Amino acid sequence: MIRLFFLFFFLIFSCEASVQDFCVADFTAPEGPAGYSCKNPANVTVDDFVFSGLGKAGNTTNLIKAAVTPAFAAQFPGLNGLGISIARLDLAPGGVVPMHTHPGATELLVVVQGSIATAFISSANTVYLKTLKKGDIMVYPQGLLHFQINAGGIPAIAFVSFSSPNPGLQITDFAFFANNLPSILVEKTTFLDAAQVKKLKAVLGGTG
Amino acid sequence: MIRLFFLFFFLIFSCEASVQDFCVADFTAPEGPAGYSCKNPANVTVDDFVFSGLGKAGNTTNLIKAAVTPAFAAQFPGLNGLGISIARLDLAPGGVVPMHTHPGATELLVVVQGSIATAFISSANTVYLKTLKKGDIMVYPQGLLHFQINAGGIPAIAFVSFSSPNPGLQITDFAFFANNLPSILVEKTTFLDAAQVKKLKAVLGGTG
Amino acid sequence: MIRLFFLFFFLIFSCEASVQDFCVADFTAPEGPAGYSCKNPANVTVDDFVFSGLGKAGNTTNLIKAAVTPAFAAQFPGLNGLGISIARLDLAPGGVVPMHTHPGATELLVVVQGSIATAFISSANTVYLKTLKKGDIMVYPQGLLHFQINAGGIPAIAFVSFSSPNPGLQITDFAFFANNLPSILVEKTTFLDAAQVKKLKAVLGGTG
Amino acid sequence: MIRLFFLFFFLIFSCEASVQDFCVADFTAPEGPAGYSCKNPANVTVDDFVFSGLGKAGNTTNLIKAAVTPAFAAQFPGLNGLGISIARLDLAPGGVVPMHTHPGATELLVVVQGSIATAFISSANTVYLKTLKKGDIMVYPQGLLHFQINAGGIPAIAFVSFSSPNPGLQITDFAFFANNLPSILVEKTTFLDAAQVKKLKAVLGGTG
Amino acid sequence: MIRLFFLFFFLIFSCEASVQDFCVADFTAPEGPAGYSCKNPANVTVDDFVFSGLGKAGNTTNLIKAAVTPAFAAQFPGLNGLGISIARLDLAPGGVVPMHTHPGATELLVVVQGSIATAFISSANTVYLKTLKKGDIMVYPQGLLHFQINAGGIPAIAFVSFSSPNPGLQITDFAFFANNLPSILVEKTTFLDAAQVKKLKAVLGGTG
Amino acid sequence: MIRLFFLFFFLIFSCEASVQDFCVADFTAPEGPAGYSCKNPANVTVDDFVFSGLGKAGNTTNLIKAAVTPAFAAQFPGLNGLGISIARLDLAPGGVVPMHTHPGATELLVVVQGSIATAFISSANTVYLKTLKKGDIMVYPQGLLHFQINAGGIPAIAFVSFSSPNPGLQITDFAFFANNLPSILVEKTTFLDAAQVKKLKAVLGGTG
């Protein structure tokens, strides 16, 4: 009896409540400037809010000896609309995450194993460079160029959080050399020598 | 003649104008992180912007002697995307709106009849407690615990506005006791005695 | 003893907690685009979050037979930074709130006494007109022209909430006629006759 | 070989990257409070980001001797979700853009030919009036009334940028006189004489 | 010579560039709704963007066998204005972070050692409960009640990121029992028995 | 008499109105994450909202044959807090604005003289390349690499608007070569040859 009266009160609110708590991505419906459409809350389960892909090391047997495993909204639909995302960074000894930006987010890195040398460069061209050890964190303000390098003899691991569910990633070398942007335009807009452009275009699969 | 020339000027703009003025909710189309899809402006009428459900008292013949009647975007589609909503609060003598939060909005209460004792508690655990009379207003910052109690001998009425069309509502007792969260977890995470948890689970219909 | 251990845990957090809960306006410190500077939380009391100025009727013994009593951040410092504000509207029989806009907020009106005829006009020049009775609410999307008129034989009262602590108010007649904007410019940009402009400038105290 | 290793690294990221870079409007899918749905990135070309409609003068052979050619999201889908838009303003000698507001954006005007007299009026009814020459810029804060008048003997041209892809436009005369808002309501809410209202309703095609 | 010409180009921009890149907190200047005032960029060094406090375990020799070490803007000034923060969570065997909310942010947890049982509860009172192992991540939408419990026999460690530099923290037990909120009001608004309230007030140091 | 009554109504509102209309930058007071502190509205004049610095060509007698003249909040205080800014771009024949990003804004370019070849590159490394003629506009989504080159035989002029009063500017070459970032780190994170790095460091004044 007492329960029924409470439920009466409760039901008044429950109809719309799920609307604003979260918006798990439904990849089959249209996407808008604020993110993906929402999955029907009735079909949402805890597994929409949990992601297990960061538990094992990325494959670093590549030339840069590095791997980045993202858990952005496209991989982890529970993040949609919630203003945050994360990725795992593995750096084998000698590993490098080359110069890059995240056009849509600030990054916050925490070292959980090993040591990492890292810097970001401001619009005023000032270099903010530091070698981080386990437990250290560093923040990279939105949109600025930065890099990470393994600074120890053992594999380094870090988790990097972002202030957006879709931070984006633009690796400068790929933007310059891994597409069909004509070499002459690359040269004119970067001041790099033609031979250098040609060499990196070949390495990175660019044409033109 | 003069009219035609004006209309020519006018038509240049009119095509897109309705786009940004408002976005009345279309509950049949996908919803996204920023709210519901928009109804076709051609089908929008003034009745989309008017809501009459707050004109009569909610039913307070329940144990808490209180009723909250919401006009959020789910009930009042004209609010969609506009950053505001409202609800009517009826408190019979002895009535209580129990401890709760609105995860997505600041609340602003205005007393229109009777007297209400109310408080919110900050992250620093400070209590901001006051008894309000007719015409008084109080603001409850986003996400903080608060409650309202009838502080007079007559029915109290208030209107509560929110800084979001979907403020959400989480009543602490319902969150703790009106679902299937195992009692042992409730006890461990709230420090409440097992008997207390069992009693309130029974009252509020919880299981586990 | 048990208390001490808890307090240890508690103190870790308490130092910064008040920072983000609220930002009560300190009118003596600089103001920025996001609002006023914050009062020291240690000096904040519940009275910063309560405002009593809306409890009595505004003075409607003026030509428009209307009064608007605002509780914006400038009057009610607890609202600063919280995305909401409110005002009381009194309309004596025959009273009118003339055509106006709020450049910075959506408005949500609830009638608490009497009857009000009201409309807003969209960018597409569509008129959304309705007569509201006690308990009815209406939303006016941000920045659009609207007005309110007493539609009954008794004083009407409404509370109007806004989606900003500083919604602004631009009454069209005051903008056109109550300042030093040269009459010739008013005529050219409003298509009003010179005699009409002269007449209203005189009424409203404009020069030029 | 080296290329393959790089591509491995590259592909990890590329799947979701386009999600957040841009959201070109798809006018055939639902629209929400944050803008139009996004076109599939695979179908996006450079032409979605380029608009050529502002290259020629608008037709100013009308009574106000003015033309405004917008490139808002509705005309230029590449702007959707990106927080900016633009329009071209042509003012023949004697031309006038009448009093108006943009409910959803701040405007920034740059004169590229001729001379323009212009003002905006604040909520405090202060007039900010200036005659601009070629190369001058002026900013009009969001939602405030403003106008532009050709101040020279030759055609004037300006580009006006907005802080939103859908700034909206409300021309006061059209809002008052070019619709079915009853004349008696116009008179009561603007203090204009009945004859003046009747005259402008006739000119602008209003009824009622 | 070539350098001088470049520098000419460069200097045009450099004056304002640092303005928008970051805003390191200056705790001695006024604070506003958007955060702390900015330290003069000329005095900013890389150490403003690096924080080393999360490198060692928090002290879990307390009754809840848990410690949370925050790196919010108040501890780590480089985060000010950047939309992100982080904390380290240590849970000894049997450790518990009690029911709490973050009024101002979504939380994203990554387990770096051990196992953690955790849940959040939605506005619809649905429980989203999961036991996480090393490398798993879970997201807790803004403002909703949640908890963490060590679910293994060894110490568990997690890093929790937040979508705000000042997420806030409201532990329900502290809000209810660790202040001067009168017991009778606690009882009325939580439905807890008087004895239960008295007991927890004693444990947590509450009065009234 | 009639005027006095109106003024009574008017004064109620006027006190706070200027608060939210604008926030002209006061460079002598503290700056926060949302922008500069506001100048006292009583001291604001129309000249705070007008800027004349874009009326004449920038000096393009440098090696890149280009000049960018900004009107950001730091140069044009009236823009503070208003979400928009602008710059003038002069490109002599052969002139180039090298690869760069704006970390904090979307850019919208309109060609007012000559012809400009331009491209931006997405996170997916797709090149969006176009040659624009007079009157054409192009949008560059926030944070992405882009460049402009004079594509005709005559000087080209463009106005570029930004979706922020402080868009920032990071020219890739300056970030890589015009500071003290050690050459070995540049090489490792850009894959450029040591000789190339050394050459450009020399040209651009870098050390290390």
Side-chain angles (χ1 to χ4, degrees), chain C residues 120-159:
Chain C
F120 75 84
I121 302 158
S122 72
S123 286
N125 298 318
T126 304
V127 179
Y128 296 92
L129 171 65
K130 191 83 176 185
T131 297
L132 307 176
K133 62 182 186 308
K134 183 176 172 180
D136 287 350
I137 59 178
M138 182 160 173
V139 63
Y140 309 86
Q142 178 168 342
L144 298 179
L145 283 163
H146 60 282
F147 64 83
Q148 286 100 6
I149 298 182
N150 189 324
I154 62 163
I157 304 173
F159 287 101

Side-chain angles (χ1 to χ4, degrees), chain A residues 20-22, chain B residues 101 103 169-170, chain E residues 100-102 105 120-123 140-146:
Chain A
Q20 78 105 30
D21 282 348
F22 46 73
Chain B
T101 64
L169 168 70
Q170 184 163 55
Chain E
H100 64 285
T101 65
H102 303 286
F120 76 84
I121 302 159
S122 73
S123 284
Y140 309 86
Q142 178 167 343
L144 298 179
L145 283 163
H146 60 285

Side-chain angles (χ1 to χ4, degrees), chain D residues 6 10 17 21 47 49-52 55 76 82-84 86 106 122-123 125 130 135-139 141 161-163, chain F residues 10 17 21 47 49-52 55 82-84 86 106 120 122-123 125 130 135-139 141 161-163 191:
Chain D
F6 269 105
F10 168 51
D21 282 350
D47 291 324
F49 301 108
V50 174
F51 183 79
S52 295
F76 183 10
L82 291 179
I84 199 162
I86 196 167
T106 287
S122 73
S123 284
N125 297 318
K130 191 84 176 185
D136 287 350
I137 60 178
M138 180 159 174
V139 63
S161 304
F162 299 94
S163 63
Chain F
F10 168 53
D21 282 350
D47 292 324
F49 301 108
V50 174
F51 183 79
S52 295
L82 291 180
I84 200 162
I86 196 167
T106 287
F120 75 85
S122 72
S123 285
N125 297 318
K130 191 85 177 182
D136 288 349
I137 60 178
M138 182 160 173
V139 62
S161 304
F162 299 94
S163 63
F191 312 123

Side-chain angles (χ1 to χ4, degrees), chain B residues 179-200:
Chain B
N179 50 39
N180 61 349
L181 182 61
S183 294
I184 185 67
L185 293 179
V186 179
E187 293 159 29
K188 276 190 179 174
T189 61
T190 64
F191 311 123
L192 295 174
D193 295 337
Q196 179 75 84
V197 171
K198 187 176 181 182
K199 179 178 172 184
L200 285 168

Side-chain angles (χ1 to χ4, degrees), chain B residues 6 10 17 21-22 44-47 49-52 54-55 71 76 78-79 82-86 106 108 110 112 120 122-125 128-130 132-139 141 144 159 161-163 191, chain C residues 6 10 17 21-22 44-47 49-52 54-55 71 76 78-79 82-86 106 108 110 112 120 122-125 128-130 132-139 141 144 159 161-163 191:
Chain B
F6 268 106
F10 168 51
D21 282 349
F22 46 73
V44 168
T45 72
V46 67
D47 292 324
F49 301 108
V50 175
F51 182 79
S52 295
L54 306 189
F76 183 10
L79 297 180
L82 291 180
I84 198 163
S85 61
I86 195 168
T106 287
L108 183 52
V110 55
V112 296
F120 76 84
S122 73
S123 284
N125 298 317
Y128 296 92
L129 172 66
K130 192 83 176 185
L132 308 176
K133 63 182 187 307
K134 185 177 170 179
D136 287 350
I137 60 178
M138 181 160 173
V139 63
L144 298 179
F159 287 101
S161 303
F162 299 93
S163 64
F191 311 123
Chain C
F6 269 105
F10 169 53
D21 282 349
F22 46 72
V44 168
T45 73
V46 67
D47 292 325
F49 301 108
V50 175
F51 182 79
S52 295
L54 307 189
F76 183 10
L79 297 180
L82 291 180
I84 198 161
S85 62
I86 196 167
T106 287
L108 182 53
V110 55
V112 295
F120 75 84
S122 72
S123 286
N125 298 318
Y128 296 92
L129 171 65
K130 191 83 176 185
L132 307 176
K133 62 182 186 308
K134 183 176 172 180
D136 287 350
I137 59 178
M138 182 160 173
V139 63
L144 298 179
F159 287 101
S161 303
F162 299 93
S163 63
F191 312 122

Side-chain angles (χ1 to χ4, degrees), chain B residues 46-125:
Chain B
V46 67
D47 292 324
D48 288 302
F49 301 108
V50 175
F51 182 79
S52 295
L54 306 189
K56 61 183 180 47
N59 184 349
T60 59
T61 57
N62 52 42
L63 272 205
I64 57 168
K65 298 175 182 166
V68 180
T69 312
F72 298 169
Q75 290 83 35
F76 183 10
L79 297 180
N80 188 47
L82 291 180
I84 198 163
S85 61
I86 195 168
R88 173 185 175 134
L89 172 60
D90 287 282
L91 283 169
V96 175
V97 180
M99 282 281 192
H100 65 284
T101 64
H102 303 285
T106 287
E107 174 179 335
L108 183 52
L109 177 146
V110 55
V111 180
V112 296
Q113 181 183 295
S115 174
I116 295 176
T118 181
F120 76 84
I121 303 158
S122 73
S123 284
N125 298 317

Side-chain angles (χ1 to χ4, degrees), chain F:
Chain F
M1 178 66 173
I2 181 174
R3 190 187 338 173
L4 288 181
F5 283 118
F6 269 106
L7 286 177
F8 175 82
F9 176 79
F10 168 53
L11 288 170
I12 292 173
F13 283 97
S14 60
C15 47
E16 53 51 67
S18 52
V19 168
Q20 79 105 29
D21 282 350
F22 46 73
C23 174
V24 175
D26 174 356
F27 299 125
T28 68
E31 186 186 346
Y36 299 100
S37 288
C38 313
K39 192 173 170 178
N40 183 338
N43 300 330
V44 168
T45 72
V46 67
D47 292 324
D48 288 301
F49 301 108
V50 174
F51 183 79
S52 295
L54 307 190
K56 61 182 178 48
N59 184 350
T60 59
T61 57
N62 52 43
L63 270 207
I64 57 168
K65 298 175 182 165
V68 179
T69 313
F72 298 168
Q75 291 84 34
F76 182 12
L79 297 180
N80 188 46
L82 291 180
I84 200 162
S85 61
I86 196 167
R88 175 187 171 130
L89 171 59
D90 287 282
L91 285 168
V96 175
V97 180
M99 282 281 192
H100 65 285
T101 65
H102 304 286
T106 287
E107 174 178 336
L108 182 53
L109 176 147
V110 54
V111 181
V112 295
Q113 182 183 292
S115 175
I116 295 176
T118 180
F120 75 85
I121 302 158
S122 72
S123 285
N125 297 318
T126 304
V127 179
Y128 296 92
L129 172 64
K130 191 85 177 182
T131 298
L132 308 175
K133 60 183 188 306
K134 183 177 171 181
D136 288 349
I137 60 178
M138 182 160 173
V139 62
Y140 309 85
Q142 178 166 343
L144 298 180
L145 283 163
H146 59 284
F147 64 84
Q148 288 100 5
I149 299 181
N150 189 326
I154 62 163
I157 304 174
F159 287 101
V160 283
S161 304
F162 299 94
S163 63
S164 162
N166 278 305
L169 169 69
Q170 183 162 54
I171 299 175
T172 309
D173 268 271
F174 291 132
F176 286 178
F177 307 118
N179 49 40
N180 62 348
L181 182 60
S183 293
I184 184 66
L185 291 180
V186 179
E187 293 160 27
K188 276 191 180 175
T189 62
T190 64
F191 312 123
L192 295 174
D193 295 338
Q196 179 74 85
V197 172
K198 186 175 183 182
K199 179 178 171 184
L200 285 168
K201 279 224 169 217
V203 170
L204 291 165
T207 59

